[in-house]
Structures are given as structure tokens and as C-alpha cells.
Amino acid sequence: MFRSNARALNRALERLKNVQTKVNEALKRSGIQEKSLERKLRIWLRKVEENVPLGELILEKRSSCAIWLSDKDVEILEKVKRLEEQGQDLIKKISVNKSSREIVERVLGPSFHPQKTALEMLDKLKDCLKKKNVQKIGVWGMGGVGKTTLVRTLNNDLLKYAATQQFALVIWVTVSKDFDLKRVQMDIAKRLGKRFTREQMNQLGLTICERLIDLKNFLLILDDVWHPIDLDQLGIPLALERSKDSKVVLTSRRLEVCQQMMTNENIKVACLQEKEAWELFCHNVGEVANSDNVKPIAKDVSHECCGLPLAIITIGRTLRGKPQVEVWKHTLNLLKRSAPSIDTEEKIFGTLKLSYDFLQDNMKSCFLFCALFPEDYSIKVSELIMYWVAEGLLDGQHHYEDMMNEGVTLVERLKDSCLLEDGDSCDTVKMHDVVRDFAIWFMSSQGEGFHSLVMAGRGLIEFPQDKFVSSVQRVSLMANKLERLPNNVIEGVETLVLLLQGNSHVKEVPNGFLQAFPNLRILDLSGVRIRTLPDSFSNLHSLRSLVLRNCKKLRNLPSLESLVKLQFLDLHESAIRELPRGLEALSSLRYICVSNTYQLQSIPAGTILQLSSLEVLDMAGSAYSWGIKGEEREGQATLDEVTCLPHLQFLAIKLLDVLSFSYEFDSLTKRLTKFQFLFSPIRSVSPPGTGEGCLAISDVNVSNASIGWLLQHVTSLDLNYCEGLNGMFENLVTKSKSSFVAMKALSIHYFPSLSLASGCESQLDLFPNLEELSLDNVNLESIGELNGFLGMRLQKLKLLQVSGCRQLKRLFSDQILAGTLPNLQEIKVVSCLRLEELFNFSSVPVDFCAESLLPKLTVIKLKYLPQLRSLCNDRVVLESLEHLEVESCESLKNLPFVPGNTGMINEQMAWEYMSRTLG
């Protein structure tokens, strides 16, 4: 009995000491500095320090004589076991305490293929991070060899163990070829959660340094460094004693860069050996690579890729699913012919050229167009497609929607060929820098038909006249610091594209400048500070796309009458007061964007009516007030002109009152593929969302509005500070003969007088397909009241957002919950001062399977809910919950954790809950 108890005590002590070590390390690494929080951890550590010596003393005294353990000794054994269990929970709470998204942020990109050499390099990099005498680590190798993939994998591996890895913060910055100190500092500052005024910009380095010193230890990953960077000037305090445990990892194509930055360790990422290159090639090509007929040739193709991962992946995916031997032989011949024999980088370009050669002719030019944008630039897909159409690379005869569909399909094909990749935000793409280098190399080396001048994002101050030749077809000087444009330029009769956007210092376009480009098809001057354009602008008879977005000083334009081929006109957020003269003569015009034109006051009558090819009219956020026929201002366009446009597919407009948009316009909404309607007399109101059919009504009395016919086509409805909502809803309930099945999202803001009118209870679910519901300052005690009021069953609801509902006591009760929320995935609740619980299950039968009520609920976010006591009762386990955030909910006592599923909660709540658990 003694030996059994002694062994159990000994094992328990060993486990407890291991946990004690992990807790100490985790506490140190998590970067917690608030003394009140540390004190709660110390309570557990103190108990461990008190009980471990007692347990060891028992073992020492009892080992010399085989006697029974006393009850007091057994009590110590049980305490040790309890402390060990509490310690394990504590480690989990520390993980919760310091959100992994705060310590490490995921970096998106191609996945890391787990081959032996790659894993060894990753292990070597991790070992360097653990060495005390290593602060700066260089990762170098040729373009496309996998440097970024290696450090991205390191970053994302640290994310998996964010709370227990050694750094208080991991910072990722992409530097790029054209290093901009301020931009890199701003990226670091943003990661540190810092915002700066213009006056503070000169103090960026000092502020970053002070913040990083406070962190104690950090990891900074600088990806794609082309030139040595002065880390002290950047604000990185590696030389200070308190930062000795901090590290910097940089990637570069040049070992010299690493050496000049005085790295302590340098890891070369080399091309793959033959065996691993073949494995990676087969992984991307698929089973066809090992077929009897193809395999011998495939081996030679893989060999021609020279072990370069980028080339292997690109060529492999190009040949994926192609079993024809003839295709493989042709590929091999192209590879052998296209790869130069001297410069290794040119050999890479040769392999990339093979993927280029596989493209259809129109796709080749579309691909090369993407290289006109700066390095690491995220290109908006819709804008890219319009460029392609304007230059004539895509068939401009299709309808706008068909044109967009074709363009998106082409983009996806380029992504599948690894020639494009996802951008940093939704619906954007960008080029890998090696692929971009190849495209620029190709355009400069192929001579006639491809010649482009690409100097985007190079920090140019003066216009590079010496680089111009008359045969240049595309000119991209976007995102520079040009101070002025010259009046005299070598005439470029073949120039079709001129991209100058982002040169914010340019205040004037000289008359002689545009005369040098008589055959322009695309002119983009977005973001420049011009007030108008010169008279020579009217001579651009071939112009198809004029883009002047964010030209906030632009007040007027010369007449557009002579630009008969113009298809796309973008004046977003310009200062124009009236639509340009001569617009009515542009029978080819298919796209007009004058969104956020806050000073637009005049559209002459008949102008819109003449635009017979117009497919897109985007006036979201415009100040122009549309009149109704018979009530219009003299000489001004009316909404009736819009309804007469035969090809219109997208319309975004603002009207003063919902009553002005009568049932007569029903045929218009039916034929539109997408619309955004805002009804509001308030000038500053934001336009509605970006869905297919968005309707927003703000600051309007809707008591007499009959909009049931309009809601048949609406996918998103936003009601903002509207009087008479009870009357409008009663109208819908009593008069609607069918549900509004298109509606996917409903937002109601400020509805303080919700009341159920007598006999108004709906037997029909008005919004049966509703997926998103947002309620702000709505007078409800429970969301369930909407069931009776609007018939809401919420069967399809995925997202629920509630804020400022001061009467709300619970989100849902049994009546609404009983099997009616099968698709709810996320709940956000903020500033509901009387909310006591989320779900009330008190009357659910004992034999009812409560878990099935919320089978897909994975995310709950709660903030500023002072009366919230619980989420649900003890009978219910939220088994699908993956993410839980709680902030300023002082009364919350019970959290719905299940084994292995702790969710994520904020720092303060984690400690409050932990201290109760530990007693």
C-alpha cells in the first residue's frame, strides 16, 4: 500500500514540477505585464512551491521504513494531483489570455511542401531562433527558390503555439525591391496597434523603438530585402540589453545584403536535388507523370526546371491532366530552346516562358498587362478587366456582366498557372515578384509588339524622358513621386496605355504632353491633383477608358464630344459640379462611375437618355437629387431617363424619398442584375452595401410607404433612423401575399418604438431565406418577438449582430429556439445594458436533445454587457463553439467550455474565470 501510494506521489510530483516549469515559461513568453493579472498566477505558483517540498519530505522520511501513509500524507498527495490538473488548465487559460491573433498573425500564401530538405531548413531556422548569441538571421537564395515560403511556414508554425512560443510578438513585413523606410515603419506601427498624426510621422522610428523595448522580446520577419536596411533608423532596438532575446529574420536574393546587415547566421535556400525535384513535380502534375508513356519525358522536363520550386510548380500545373505524349515532347523541346544558357535568373525566365507560351494569345497580353502595376501591388479584378476590354484584349461586344464573367474566368486560369496569385484583399490579384520580373524581361526583350516602359513604384521625382521611344505601347509610371509632367515628349504614336495614377504631387497636365499620345486607349490619372485637363485632351479620339478616381481637386473637364469611342468613365470622388459637356454624344459609353461626388449638382435634361449603350451607372454617394417627371428642376435630368436605358444592368442612385420611387419603376428593378438604392434626404449618409440588390432607407418617414413590390427584388435591406416603421411593417404583414424570398440580409438601426399592433401578428415568414440580421437600438426584450411581429422563423440565419438594444434581456427563449436555428454560425452582441442571458432553455423538456438547438454555432463575441450572467444553463453544451470573445462583462460567471474546445476569450475575462476556477 505504501509503495503504491509513494509511487503515485512521486509521479504526481514529477508531473506537477513539469507543469510548473511550463507555466513559468508560458507566463514569461506571453508578455503579460499587468501586475494584477500576474498576481493571480502567482497564487497557483505559491501553492505549488508550498506543497512540492512537503511531498518530497514525505517520500524522504517514509522511504527508510515501510509504514502506511497517514491521512495527512494522503491529503498532500491529493493536493498535488489537484494542483497538477489546475496547472494544465492554467496553461490553456494563458493561451486564451493572450489571443494568438495578437501574438502572431497568419501570413497567406502557397502551402509548404513537407520534403526532407525543406523540413531540415525549417528546423535549422527554428534552432537559430533558440540560440542566445544569434539575433539576426539571413535566409538567402535565388528568386523563386522558396525563401518566402520557408519564413511564411515559420510564422504560421509559431501561430499554432502562439501562447507558448518564445516571443511576445511576431511581426511580418514585406519590404520589396523599392524600399520605402516610412512605408515599412508604418507597417510595423500598424502591427503594434499604433496610429500617428502627420506631426508624429517624423518620430516613427523612436515610437517603434520604445514600443518594442516594452515588449521585452519580439521576432521581426523582413521578407524580400533587396538592399541593406539600417535597423536602428527603422526603430529596431536589438543593441539594447532588454532586447537581447529579440530576433530579426530577413530574406534576400543576395548574400551580400545579409552580410552588410551583419547577420549572425545565414541559411541558403538552394534548388532541390533531382529526387525531391521529381517528387514536387509529380505532386503538381498528378498521376499522369508516372504513366508508362509519359514518365521518361516527364523526368527530362523536371530536370529542365533545374530544381527551382517556382519553375517546377508552374510547369507542373501547366501540364497537369495532359496525358498526350506529343504535348510532353513539345514541352520538352520548348524548355530546351527557351532557356538561356548563361544567367541562372534567365533560365528561370525560360521556364516561366513555357507557361506563358501555353496561354492563348489574348491571355498572354492580359498576363503581361498585370506587370504594369508596382511590385506586391494588389490589383482589383473588376478594374483589371475593364483595362483589358479598353485595350481590346477582351471582346467588348459582350454585355457588361458577361464581360466580367469572362474576365474572372481568365484571371482564374492565370492563377491556376501560377502566373497570378490572390491579392491582399477580397477580389484582388497580384504577381509574384519573380513572375513580374519575367513579364518585364519578356516585354523588354521581345522587341516589336511587346515594348513597354514599366517604372511603377520606383520613387521617381522627374519624368524619365530618356527612357521613351516612339515604339513603346504601354507606359506605367504609377505610384511614383513625380512633381510635374513635361510639355514636350517624344511622340508615341503606338502608345495605347498611359498609367500615371498615384502621382499625387502632379497639379497640371500640360497641353503638349497629351499631344504626344494621339492613339491612347487608356488614360489613368487617378489620385493626381489636377483641376482640369488641357484642350489637347479632346484630340484623344481613340480613348476608350478615362479613369480619374480620387482626383479631389478636379472641378471640370473639356467637352467629351469628340471621344466617340469612350466606353469607361470613372470620376469617383472628384469635385465635379456637373457631368462633363458632350457626354450625350458618346453612344459607345457603357460605364459611368460618379460615386461619392459630393458636389455634383447638375445633370442636364436628356443627357442620360442619349447614352444608349450604358450598362453601369454608379452614383452611390452622389449629391445629385433625382427628380420625378412633372416635379423636376427646370432643365435637369429625371429618373424617367434612367428607366429608358435599354442595356442598363447596374444602377446605384440616391433618392430623397421612398415614395418618389413608385411602382412604375418595377420593370427597371426586374431587369437590373445589380442595384444599390438609397432613399434619404441627408447628404452625408453612406451608400448601401455591395450585394446584388441593396436597398437602404435613412431618415425617412415610411409609415405610408408601400414597398412590398420593391422588396421582391431586394437581397439586402438597411433601415436607418426611419419613422413609421411600425406602420410599414404592418403594411407588409397584412398586404403581402408571398414571402420576400430574395432577402438575405436585414439591418434595422434605431427603432425605439417597436409595438405589436392589434391583429398584426404575421402567420407568414416574410424573410424565409434571411442569413444576416443586424439590430441596433431596437426596442426588444427578446429576438423571439420578431417571430410574431414579422413571422421570422430564422431557419437560414447564419449571422446575428445586436447592439444598443437597452430593453433586451435575452436573445432567444425556448419558443423560438426549439429547432429553429439550425444554421446560426456567429453571434455578436454589444452594449445591451439589460441583457442577462443569451439563451433561455428553462422549459425545454428533459428528454429534449439541447445540443441540437445550435449545431453550427462556432463564434460568439460579447462586449459591454454589464448584466450578462450566463450564456445558457448547465444542461446545454455548445459543442461547435470554436471562438469566444468576452470584454467588459463583469457579471458573467459561467463559460460553456467542453473538453478540447476552450474557445478564445479576452485577457481580462480569462483571468476572472481562471481565478474562480482555482479558488
Side-chain angles (χ1 to χ4, degrees), residues 518-533:
N519 296 312
L520 272 187
R521 293 185 180 182
I522 298 172
L523 175 62
D524 196 327
L525 290 162
S526 298
V528 300
R529 300 174 65 186
I530 57 173
R531 295 180 178 273
T532 187
L533 285 173

Side-chain angles (χ1 to χ4, degrees), residues 492-722:
V493 294
E494 296 184 31
T495 305
L496 303 177
V497 179
L498 181 56
L499 305 180
L500 293 166
Q501 61 264 42
N503 287 283
S504 59
H505 299 297
V506 174
K507 297 181 180 180
E508 179 186 8
V509 179
N511 195 62
F513 180 78
L514 289 182
Q515 287 179 342
F517 306 104
N519 296 312
L520 272 187
R521 293 185 180 182
I522 298 172
L523 175 62
D524 196 327
L525 290 162
S526 298
V528 300
R529 300 174 65 186
I530 57 173
R531 295 180 178 273
T532 187
L533 285 173
D535 292 339
S536 58
F537 164 74
S538 299
N539 296 325
L540 301 178
H541 303 301
S542 298
L543 197 66
R544 299 179 184 179
S545 177
L546 176 62
V547 187
L548 299 167
R549 294 179 65 84
N550 302 307
C551 293
K552 297 182 181 181
K553 300 288 185 180
L554 183 67
R555 294 187 174 275
N556 57 71
L557 288 172
S559 174
L560 305 183
E561 185 177 6
S562 61
L563 308 183
V564 293
K565 295 183 179 180
L566 193 67
Q567 297 184 39
F568 304 99
L569 176 62
D570 193 336
L571 295 166
H572 167 82
E573 211 161 305
S574 62
I576 60 169
R577 297 178 180 273
E578 62 179 359
L579 286 187
R581 291 172 288 114
L583 193 70
E584 66 278 1
L586 306 184
S587 58
S588 298
L589 194 63
R590 57 195 303 186
Y591 177 98
I592 298 178
C593 178
V594 285
S595 56
N596 292 3
T597 47
Y598 303 119
Q599 299 182 51
L600 181 63
Q601 299 293 328
S602 174
I603 301 178
T607 300
I608 300 297
L609 189 61
Q610 299 301 314
L611 303 177
S612 57
S613 298
L614 196 64
E615 297 177 82
V616 175
L617 178 58
D618 186 352
M619 299 187 67
S622 168
Y624 183 74
S625 299
W626 287 93
I628 303 298
K629 191 173 183 179
E631 303 176 9
E632 72 273 20
R633 291 173 293 161
E634 185 176 354
Q636 291 297 298
T638 66
L639 193 59
D640 296 73
E641 293 187 35
V642 176
T643 65
C644 295
L645 297 174
H647 301 297
L648 194 66
Q649 294 188 12
F650 172 79
L651 175 64
I653 56 170
K654 188 184 85 168
L655 299 168
L656 296 179
D657 195 302
V658 67
L659 297 176
S660 64
F661 199 67
S662 67
Y663 186 75
E664 298 172 8
F665 302 112
D666 184 38
S667 60
L668 172 65
T669 58
K670 282 182 178 179
R671 61 186 173 89
L672 292 173
T673 58
K674 185 178 180 180
F675 61 81
Q676 295 177 13
F677 295 155
L678 171 61
F679 299 97
S680 175
I682 307 299
R683 175 180 169 182
S684 60
V685 172
S686 300
T690 57
E692 292 181 358
C694 299
L695 171 63
I697 307 175
S698 181
D699 299 277
V700 173
N701 190 325
V702 293
S703 56
N704 296 320
S706 178
I707 64 170
W709 64 272
L710 182 56
L711 293 186
Q712 296 290 346
H713 315 291
V714 169
T715 60
S716 172
L717 174 62
D718 191 336
L719 302 170
N720 206 350
Y721 291 90
C722 292

Side-chain angles (χ1 to χ4, degrees), residues 299-311:
K299 284 273 191 178
D300 289 337
V301 171
S302 175
H303 177 77
E304 286 294 324
C305 292
C306 306
L308 183 74
L310 178 64

Side-chain angles (χ1 to χ4, degrees), residues 96 127 137 170 172 250 388 451 464 635 726 812 831 859:
V96 170
D127 289 339
I137 305 161
V170 178
W172 175 289
L250 63 100
W388 288 343
H451 194 192
N726 283 311
F812 296 109
S831 299
V859 177

Side-chain angles (χ1 to χ4, degrees), residues 320-331:
R320 188 175 182 88
K322 291 182 170 62
Q324 299 88 352
V325 174
E326 294 81 359
V327 173
W328 283 86
K329 288 181 178 180
H330 178 63
T331 300

Side-chain angles (χ1 to χ4, degrees), residues 8 107 238 262 457 478 505 526 649 717 770 785 828:
V107 178
L238 292 181
M262 300 179 66
M478 68 171 78
H505 299 297
S526 298
Q649 294 188 12
L717 174 62
L770 197 69
E785 293 181 29
K828 299 179 183 179

